[in-house]
Structures are given as C-alpha cells and as structure tokens.
C-alpha cells in the first residue's frame, strides 16, 4: 500500500511538472491570499434559523449536482478537461457561475451532506472544481474569444471567483492562475470607469425608469472580491476607492448631494454626482417602483463576507443607507389608489407575503432575496430603524423558500414559471443561499470590524474610524469545529473524472 501511494504521488508530481500547460507567474505582490481557515474556530451555528438556511443551501446544491448538471446544462456527458459552456452570454455564463457559488459554499463551510444530495462529497468536489475552473478558463483573459468585458460580466466573474477562492486549495495551480487572471482582468476594467446615475445633480432623470443602484453594486462586488483576494496587489488602492465610490453611489439619495458626512476621507457629497434611489429608500427599475431591486444593498453588504474571510476591516461605505432601504420595506406605506390594491407596506406583518405597489415582472414568489436582507440586517446590525428587525422577518421569508423546495425530490425551488419568470431562477437561489449561510457563519466565527479609514487621503483618524466592532451573535447550539477536508490528489481527480459513468 505504501508503494502504491508513493507511485501515485510521483505520478501526480510528474503531471504537475511536465504535462500541465506552463504559465507566467507575476510578481508575488499580485498573487492571491487564500482564506486562512485555521484562523477561524469554524463552528457551524445550529439554531433553528441557521438550520433552515442550511437546508435551503443543501437542497439547491442537490439540484445543482443532479438534475441541473445532467439535464439542464448537459455537463454530465462532457469528458474534456474543461466544460464547454455553450456560449458567452448570460444564460451560458451567469447561470453556472451563480450555481458554482452555492455548491462551493456548501463544501467549504462543511454544510455538504451526501445523504441529503445523493452525491458523494468527492463527486461534489470534482463537479465544483470542474465548473469553477471551466468558467475561469473560458474567460477572455485566459481564452481567445472567451466571455468577459461586458456590461454584466463583472457580476458573473464575481460568482465564479468567489467560489474559486472558497475552494482555492482544492484547485490546481494552473486553475488558480486562471481564476486570478479572470478576477484581475474584470477589476482592472473599472480603473477609469465613469459611475452611472439614474438622476443627475439637478434631479433630471438620465435613465428613465432604470436605477443604476444594482449595476453599481454588482460591479462593486467584483472589486470587493479582488481586494479581499489580492490585498497586496499593485492596483489595490485604485480598486478599493472605485469600490467605495460604486457602493456609495448605488445607494445615493438626492439629499446626499448636500451630505457632508465624512466617508473614507471625503464627504459623501464629494463622492457622488447624482442619485440612484428615492429619498425614502425605494428604487425605480423596469419602469416602476420595484421592491426586488431594493436588494441592491445586499451586494454592498457582501463586503462583510469577503473582508471578514480575508481578515480585513470592512469599509463603512458597504452599509451606506442600508438602514434606510431596509427599513423602507416595512415602514413606508403606499396608499391605494393610486398604488395597487390593497396598499400598505412591502413587508406584511406576520406573513411571508410581499406587496408590490406597482406590480412585478419577475413573478410574486421570490423570497430568498428578502431572507438574505433580513440576515444581513441582523448580522451587520443595520435593521434598527425598522420597527421589526431582521430576526423577526427572516423565518417568514426563508420558510417559504424551504416549503417550495420540499415540493420537489431533486431539491429545486420553483414549480410553475409564473412563480419566477427569470431563466436563472434556480441558480439565483443558489448564490443567495450561499450568501445567507456565509453571513451566519461569519457572524459566529469572524471578527467583524467596520472601518471609516481613508484608502488614499491622509488625515487624522480616531480609533473609531479605524475599527468599529460589530457585536457577535452567541448561539447556545452549535456544531463542534470541523477538520479540514482531505483533498484528493491531482491524479485521483483526473482519473475519476474521465471515468465517471
């Protein structure tokens, strides 16, 4: 047995040295800093709300590894080193990228349970790594005529890049380089980027019925990830300052043009040149007041996940007006008429129902985005403006998602198309479930420190500017720390993948 192990390791070394394609390694300062898992206690919360989110994530992962993998995407029949994604557009890239984050999170945070999914953990790892590495390899930074450098491509690269970072040590050095190049390429697109606004400084509408809140926030997410993964990169300060500008601008209300609050060395009014949401925290998109797009604050709040995992402080800009937007869901009341019957608030007391004052073009059965907002408001303590905090609302919204999943043996959430008309609805559930679980895990295991430091301008700072600690939630019921997963060798992965039934 020892001789077999010795030969296997030798063979793996030969493959790594001579067979895998060579690539140019840039300066050490530009390399990725993996998550230092040993620095965390790695305790999984076991309270009722956390267990519910764990189940949602597991169901989504089950669907991703089975029906979605084999029937929806047709990946099961592909035997090549990298998957053919079937194109470079949204359906071909965003959907698998979003799913990759859900699957990766279930593995990285020791949520994965083969008895629930019907797929061994080893098999799940193989598929996750294959999916992530293929997305990175097919990006134009690594393949001619690949996807990327498009209006929404930073959003897709963020999903795949975050998934890759979570499973970093499972991936080959070549695939790590592909992921780094993808994230770096997309981040550099924003070095000279002109931030867009729904309204200009005079209040005139630039984009009729089309807030740029979500767009700015998803572009910020990619920069959050880049700065968390590569804190020593030569473009770190430029990335971080553009990240801050995008986050502040995404949540900018008209009165922010007179706001002299100091954020990261500059007054808010000096960070922006327009507004993207209404003064009351509501957002206009697709031509009407759209509650689904008020979720954009979650994209900013994911800073708390990335930087906590990286052991870095979280920019205060990540929570600019998060309290205003979140409280408006339960505090702002709409009279009917002129708004649709029955009127009232978007969140409904004692219910999972959501009221859409001017209708909804995505269907009325989406709840996972609201569950994520509830969790983020609770973990990052910005829900205090609302009469009811996130801890009150989360069970209503998350329980509806879990109930919808329980209707299907393969773990999918949706049944009829009218429930959610978006083609990537199941993948959308996956990445939201990942965010939800990671937030709960970070709440228990990480030091959450919010900073108002400047990343470019030097000025006198107080200790409070450098770090405001967010109180941790203490759960009486939690699983013991888990041990690192045993990683299969490169030989094992290659052999087993090519011989899967």
């Amino acid at each position: 047995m020892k001789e077999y192990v010795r030969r296997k390791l030798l063979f793996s070394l030969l493959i790594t040295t001579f067979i895998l394609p060579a690539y140019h390694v840039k300066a050490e300062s530009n390399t990725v800093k993996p998550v230092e898992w040993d620095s965390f206690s790695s305790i999984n919360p076991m309270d009722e709300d956390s267990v519910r989110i764990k189940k949602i994530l597991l169901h989504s992962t089950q669907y991703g590894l089975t029906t979605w993998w084999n029937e929806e995407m047709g990946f099961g029949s592909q035997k090549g080193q990298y998957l053919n994604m079937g194109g470079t557009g949204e359906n071909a890239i965003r959907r698998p990228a979003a799913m990759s984050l859900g699957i990766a999170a279930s593995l990285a945070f020791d949520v994965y349970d083969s008895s629930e999914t019907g797929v061994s953990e080893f098999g799940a790892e193989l598929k996750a790594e294959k999916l992530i590495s293929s997305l990175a390899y097919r990006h134009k930074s690594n393949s001619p005529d690949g996807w990327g450098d498009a209006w929404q491509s930073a959003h897709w690269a963020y999903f795949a890049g975050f998934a890759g970072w979570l499973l970093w040590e499972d991936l080959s050095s070549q695939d790590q380089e592909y992921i780094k190049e993808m994230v770096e390429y997309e981040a550099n697109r924003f070095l000279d980027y002109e931030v867009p606004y729904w309204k200009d400084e005079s209040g005139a509408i630039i984009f009729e019925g089309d807030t740029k809140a979500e767009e700015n926030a998803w572009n910020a997410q990619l920069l959050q990830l880049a700065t968390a993964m590569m804190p020593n990169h030569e473009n770190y300060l430029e990335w971080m300052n553009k990240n801050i500008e995008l986050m502040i601008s995404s949540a900018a209300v008209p009165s922010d043009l007179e706001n002299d609050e100091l954020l990261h060395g500059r007054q808010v009014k000096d960070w922006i040149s327009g507004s993207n949401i209404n003064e009351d925290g509501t957002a206009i998109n697709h031509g009407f007041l759209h509650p689904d797009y008020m979720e954009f604050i979650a994209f900013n709040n994911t800073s708390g996940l990335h930087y906590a995992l990286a052991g870095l402080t979280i920019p205060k800009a990540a929570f600019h007006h998060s309290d205003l937007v979140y409280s408006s869901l339960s505090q702002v009341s709409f009279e009917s008429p002129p708004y649709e019957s029955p009127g009232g608030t978007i969140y409904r007391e004692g219910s999972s129902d959501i009221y859409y004052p001017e209708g909804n073009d995505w269907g009325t059965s989406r709840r996972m985005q609201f569950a994520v907002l509830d969790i983020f408001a609770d973990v990052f303590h910005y829900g205090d403006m609302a009469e009811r905090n996130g801890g009150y609302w989360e069970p209503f919204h998350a329980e509806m998602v879990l109930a919808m999943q329980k209707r299907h043996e393969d773990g999918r959430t949706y049944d009829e198309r009218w429930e959610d008309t978006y083609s990537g609805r199941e993948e959308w559930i996956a990445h939201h479930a990942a965010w939800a679980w990671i937030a709960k895990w970070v709440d228990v295991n990480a030091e959450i420190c919010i900073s108002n430091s400047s990343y470019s301008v030097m000025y006198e700072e107080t200790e409070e500017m450098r770090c405001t600690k967010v109180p941790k939630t203490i759960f009486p019921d939690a699983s013991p720390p888990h041990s690192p997963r045993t990683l299969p060798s490169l030989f094992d992965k290659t052999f087993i993948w090519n011989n899967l039934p």
Side-chain angles (χ1 to χ4, degrees), residues 22-37:
Y23 59 88
H24 176 65
V25 179
K26 293 183 179 179
E28 183 68 24
S29 62
N30 288 357
T31 58
V32 170
K33 180 183 177 184
V35 178
E36 296 180 357
W37 297 104

Side-chain angles (χ1 to χ4, degrees), residues 14-166:
L14 289 171
I15 292 176
T16 304
T17 306
F18 297 109
I19 298 178
L20 287 180
Y23 59 88
H24 176 65
V25 179
K26 293 183 179 179
E28 183 68 24
S29 62
N30 288 357
T31 58
V32 170
K33 180 183 177 184
V35 178
E36 296 180 357
W37 297 104
D38 290 343
S39 66
F40 302 104
S41 56
S42 296
I43 294 173
N44 280 346
M46 296 288 286
D47 61 288
E48 184 178 359
D49 290 340
S50 297
V51 169
R52 185 187 298 110
I53 295 299
K54 177 180 177 179
K55 289 179 179 177
I56 291 171
L57 178 57
L58 268 178
H59 287 316
S60 176
T61 299
Q62 175 193 355
Y63 178 71
L65 294 172
T66 56
T67 306
W68 180 86
W69 185 274
N70 294 312
E71 298 175 20
E72 292 288 326
M73 304 306 293
F75 291 152
S77 60
Q78 295 190 32
K79 300 294 184 181
Q81 184 178 359
Y82 295 106
L83 297 168
N84 182 340
M85 311 310 297
T88 59
E90 180 175 358
N91 276 342
I93 305 300
R94 178 179 174 177
R95 293 176 59 197
M99 185 62 79
S100 77
L101 181 55
I103 298 171
S106 71
L107 290 164
F109 293 92
D110 199 35
V111 169
Y112 193 79
D113 185 346
S114 59
S115 67
E116 293 285 339
T117 65
V119 178
S120 71
E121 185 169 350
F122 191 15
E125 288 177 0
L126 288 171
K127 288 182 176 181
E129 294 162 28
K130 189 83 168 182
L131 186 57
I132 295 164
S133 61
S134 298
L135 286 160
Y137 173 73
R138 301 295 180 189
H139 187 267
K140 64 168 36 182
S141 61
N142 299 306
S143 294
D145 302 320
W147 66 275
D149 196 12
W151 173 66
Q152 201 185 69
S153 63
H155 196 36
W156 315 339
Y158 159 74
F159 290 135
F162 192 15
W165 192 43
L166 292 177

